[in-house]
């Protein structure tokens, strides 16, 4: 069976991705910061192995890649993310916190992806799917939320260019908006459940081919402007 490696697998959208790919019989390397506290993740069973990974611990990212050796990874889902402090209007809050959000949402997914590139290249037709947000679209900008918006705009730009660089390797690299989802981040007033979001996202990922590389998709399969 194909192998999925996913970050932030212990709750929210990441947990539901792990459930749905496990139900499809995939081998899953499910990464989270605190495996000992990840009861819901460990309860999935199936072919899920849980790995401890803080995506901003770059030495740990390299150690995980070394541990995987030449094992092929068919699908990498960069899911881990944070919103950061909700700042008042016309404020970025603490500039140090701004950098922390950039580290988690923009720097870490690139570091994880590039460290695992040999494993992705070892798979026949690998895919990289990165959880962005429509809030990272400059074209759809609505003002405010500068910190989160710029972190997602940054990963959009980086992944779009990586997609171009990897096209000749046959690796499909796409960005995804999951909808406004009922999670700790989205809040309970959000539009859709994790099941609805991930059912849509999984169909987008499973249906994506090299002709889609570098594109930014909504969970319903429609495309977003940058
Ligand atoms: N929910 C929405 O409406 C929405 C909308 C647009 C985009 N998104 C994006 O979708 C993705 C998942 O969001 P969600 O709603 O599921 O969020 P969530 O419920 O807040 O879960 C976030 C996940 O990311 C993990 N994480 C945070 N920092 C990490 C780090 N440094 N290293 C490893 N894991 C880390 C968390 O682990 P811990 O439990 O250890 O903190 C948790 O597993 C994010 O990238 C988010 O920006 C969500």
């Amino acid at each position: 069976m194909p192998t999925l490696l996913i970050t932030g697998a212990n709750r929210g959208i990441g947990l539901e991705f792990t459930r749905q790919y496990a139900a499809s019989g995939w081998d899953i390397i499910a990464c989270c910061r605190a495996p000992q506290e990840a009861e819901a993740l460990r309860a999935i069973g199936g072919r899920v192995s849980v790995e401890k990974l803080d995506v901003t611990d770059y030495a740990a990212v390299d150690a995980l890649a070394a541990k995987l050796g030449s094992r092929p990874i068919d699908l990498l889902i960069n899911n881990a993310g944070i919103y950061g402090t909700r700042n008042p209007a016309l404020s970025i809050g603490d500039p140090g916190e701004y950098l922390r959000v950039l580290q988690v949402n923009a720097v870490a997914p690139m570091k994880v992806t590039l460290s695992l590139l040999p494993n992705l290249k070892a798979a026949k037709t690998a895919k990289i799917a990165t959880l962005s947000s429509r809030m990272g679209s400059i074209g759809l900008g609505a003002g405010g939320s500068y910190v989160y918006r710029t972190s997602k705009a940054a990963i959009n730009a980086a992944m779009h260019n990586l997609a171009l660089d990897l096209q000749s390797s046959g690796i499909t690299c796409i960005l995804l908006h999951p909808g406004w989802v009922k999670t700790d981040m989205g809040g309970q007033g959000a539009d859709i459940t994790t099941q609805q979001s991930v059912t849509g996202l999984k169909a987008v990922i499973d249906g994506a081919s090299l002709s889609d590389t570098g594109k930014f998709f909504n969970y319903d399969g429609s495309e977003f402007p940058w």
Side-chain angles (χ1 to χ4, degrees):
M1 287 306 283
T3 297
L4 160 67
L5 188 145
I6 182 167
T7 62
N10 57 304
R11 59 187 168 100
I13 293 166
L15 180 64
E16 182 61 22
F17 261 127
T18 307
R19 282 203 188 103
Q20 292 199 16
Y21 276 97
S24 298
W26 282 51
D27 288 320
I28 303 177
I29 303 161
C31 302
C32 64
R33 286 195 283 195
Q36 69 284 1
E37 292 162 22
E39 288 90 8
L41 178 59
R42 285 190 278 109
I44 294 174
R47 304 169 70 92
V48 179
S49 69
V50 180
E51 291 286 342
K52 180 177 167 66
L53 185 68
D54 179 327
V55 292
T56 60
D57 181 345
Y58 305 129
V61 172
D62 284 335
L64 177 61
K67 183 176 171 184
L68 293 173
S70 57
R71 180 172 173 185
I73 293 174
D74 300 274
L75 172 62
L76 166 64
I77 301 182
N78 289 304
N79 166 75
I82 56 173
Y83 190 89
T85 305
R86 288 174 200 267
N87 297 309
L90 300 177
S91 166
I92 58 163
D94 171 15
E97 163 80 355
Y98 198 155
L99 288 172
R100 193 173 73 86
V101 175
L102 286 170
Q103 289 274 2
V104 177
N105 292 355
V107 181
M110 287 304 291
K111 170 63 186 166
V112 169
T113 303
L114 293 172
S115 293
L116 296 176
L117 202 49
N119 306 82
L120 291 159
K121 285 183 172 171
K124 270 195 194 127
T125 50
K127 298 180 189 181
I128 302 162
T130 300
L131 272 290
S132 177
S133 168
R134 63 171 287 150
M135 291 179 75
S137 165
I138 292 173
L140 297 175
S145 306
Y146 311 122
V147 174
Y148 185 72
R149 284 186 194 281
T150 50
S151 71
K152 293 298 191 182
I155 194 59
N156 281 356
M159 285 290 171
H160 177 69
N161 285 287
L162 180 68
L164 300 176
D165 291 336
L166 293 181
Q167 209 158 14
S168 59
S169 309
I171 297 175
T172 301
C173 180
I174 57 173
L175 290 136
L176 299 170
H177 171 64
W180 183 24
V181 191
K182 296 180 203 289
T183 62
D184 293 336
M185 186 188 292
Q188 284 316 301
D191 289 335
I192 56 172
T193 63
T194 54
Q195 290 86 344
Q196 289 170 308
S197 171
V198 171
T199 299
L201 292 170
K202 187 170 181 295
V204 173
I205 294 169
D206 293 350
S209 66
L210 205 50
S211 61
D212 298 308
T213 202
K215 293 182 182 172
F216 181 16
F217 291 105
N218 193 10
Y219 76 103
D220 64 5
S222 59
E223 230 184 293
F224 274 136
W226 299 110

